[in-house]
Amino acid sequence: MPVSLTTLRDLKQRGEKFAMITCYDAIFAQAMNQSGVECLLIGDSLGMVLQGHDSTLPVSMADMVYHTHCVARGNSQSFIVADMPFMSYATVNDALKNAGDLMQAGAHAVKLEGGGWLADTVTQMARCGIPACVHMGLTPQSVNVFGGYKVQGRSAEAAAKMVEDARRLEQAGAALLLLECVPTPVAKQVTEAVGIPVIGIGAGPHCDGQVLVLHDLLGMYQGKPARFAKNYLQGRDSVKDALTAYVQEVKSGAYPAPEHGFSQ
Ligand SMILES: Nc1nc(=O)c2c([nH]1)NC[C@@H]1CN(c3ccc(C(=O)N[C@@H](CCC(=O)O)C(=O)O)cc3)CN21
Ligand SMILES: CC(C)C(=O)C(=O)O
Ligand SMILES: [Mg+2]
C-alpha cells in the first residue's frame, strides 16, 4: 500500500522516523520506492541543482508541474509533496489555483514557505482537499530578506514564535510541517507541540522525519556543503545502496548526528 498522510501520522505516534528525499524524475522515483523512502519532495531546489541558478527564486509553476508529472509517473509507493515556487501563493486565490495544478500533476500534498500568516491559505486548501506542508525556519525563497542561508529561531523570542506558529498552523488544518536550519532544541519543542508530523533538515534528530536534497546525499555539492549534508555514496558502489543507507540511518536515528545540527 502506498504511503499516505495516515501512515505518516501513525509513524509519528509510534515514534518511528521516516525518510524524505528530493526527487525530480521518474527513474529516481522508482529507485527511491525500492529503497523504502516514505516521501518524495519535488523541491524548488531544482532551480539550483538542475537549472544552475544561485537561488530558488527563478523556478516557475511550469517547471514544478513538469517535474511533478515526471516523478508521479515513476512513483507507486511514496507520498509525493511538491513545492509551491516563489510568488505562486502570494494571495489565497493564487495559492488555490497553483496548488490545484500541482495536485493534478500528481502531488499528494503541496509545500509552502512561511509561518503563521499562511493559516488562512492552509485552511482554504484543506477545504478543497489539498494537504499543505508548511516549511518554516530557513525559508530559501526569503534569502533576500535573511541576507543569506542562515540558521533561524536562535533567540528565545524567535523560538517561542516558531512554536506558536506551528500550533496555529496545525489548528488551521496544515497536514505537515518542515523545519529547515533550526536549532536542535527548538525543533524538538515544535515537534512535541503538534500532533502533525514534522520533517527536519538541519533541525536535529527529534523531528519525526528527515529530508535531504538528492544531490547532497550523493556527494554532488555546489561549493561548500551545508552542515546537514552527508555523502551516502562514500564507501558504497551504487546509487541504490546510497539511498537505502540513508533510509536505514534515518530509521535507526544514526542520521542526523550532532555535527549535522545547530545549537541554540
Ligand atoms: N543542494 C542543495 N541543498 C539544499 O539543502 C538546498 C539547496 N540546494 N537549495 C535550496 C536550499 C538552500 N539551502 C541551504 C543552503 C545553504 C545552507 C548553509 O550553508 N547553511 C549554513 C548555516 C550557517 C549558519 O547560520 O550557521 C551551514 O553551515 O549549514 C543551508 C541551506 C537548503 N536548500
Ligand atoms: C530543502 C528542501 C526542504 C526543499 O525545500 C527543496 O529541496 O526545495
Ligand atoms: Mg524548497
Side-chain angles (χ1 to χ4, degrees):
M1 221 174 48
V3 173
S4 66
L5 274 179
T6 311
T7 318
L8 300 178
R9 282 192 293 256
D10 288 349
L11 289 171
K12 175 175 181 132
Q13 278 188 343
R14 294 206 296 267
E16 287 178 37
K17 306 294 180 189
F18 61 88
M20 175 185 242
I21 308 179
T22 67
C23 186
Y24 315 103
D25 64 35
I27 196 135
F28 269 101
Q30 255 169 33
M32 289 177 195
N33 282 180
Q34 288 163 16
S35 294
V37 180
E38 280 87 356
C39 307
L40 310 185
L41 173 68
I42 299 105
D44 60 351
S45 54
L46 69 84
M48 294 169 82
V49 295
L50 302 189
Q51 298 174 336
H53 296 295
D54 63 1
S55 80
T56 59
L57 275 65
V59 176
S60 68
M61 265 304 297
D63 295 334
M64 294 308 300
V65 166
Y66 169 78
H67 286 283
T68 301
H69 272 297
C70 294
V71 169
R73 281 188 209 109
N75 180 66
S76 59
Q77 298 299 315
S78 306
F79 187 76
I80 300 178
V81 181
D83 264 351
M84 299 200 66
F86 179 65
M87 288 303 287
S88 68
Y89 49 97
T91 68
V92 174
N93 280 351
D94 283 351
L96 291 176
K97 200 269 170 203
N98 290 319
D101 287 354
L102 291 170
M103 298 297 285
Q104 289 189 314
H108 302 128
V110 301
K111 179 161 76 60
L112 317 81
E113 297 183 6
W117 62 274
L118 287 171
D120 216 34
T121 305
V122 161
T123 301
Q124 298 300 326
M125 283 182 172
R127 269 192 197 162
C128 294
I130 302 174
C133 173
V134 181
H135 180 155
M136 302 198 296
L138 195 181
T139 48
Q141 292 171 15
S142 299
V143 63
N144 297 294
V145 177
F146 296 144
Y149 298 108
K150 296 174 190 165
V151 176
Q152 301 296 312
R154 271 213 154 121
S155 72
E157 298 74 35
K161 180 77 166 64
M162 209 175 284
V163 173
E164 184 193 315
D165 278 11
R167 287 206 177 99
R168 181 169 163 208
L169 289 162
E170 177 178 36
Q171 281 302 309
L176 299 166
L177 297 177
L178 186 146
L179 301 179
E180 175 167 351
C181 292
V182 169
T184 295
V186 179
K188 182 171 189 277
Q189 275 187 62
V190 171
T191 305
E192 288 169 356
V194 296
I196 54 177
V198 178
I199 303 167
I201 175 167
H206 307 294
C207 298
D208 304 303
Q210 296 290 331
V211 59
L212 271 182
V213 169
L214 170 66
H215 295 65
D216 292 346
L217 183 155
L218 298 177
M220 303 180 76
Y221 312 116
Q222 321 138 271
K224 181 180 169 283
R227 193 173 160 85
F228 50 76
K230 179 169 177 180
N231 179 2
Y232 281 95
L233 205 46
Q234 193 148 49
R236 298 187 181 86
D237 47 27
S238 79
V239 168
K240 278 286 299 297
D241 285 354
L243 299 175
T244 305
Y246 165 70
V247 175
Q248 283 171 346
E249 286 203 0
V250 169
K251 292 199 169 295
S252 74
Y255 179 84
E259 69 263 25
H260 299 118
F262 300 97
S263 58
Q264 198 161 359

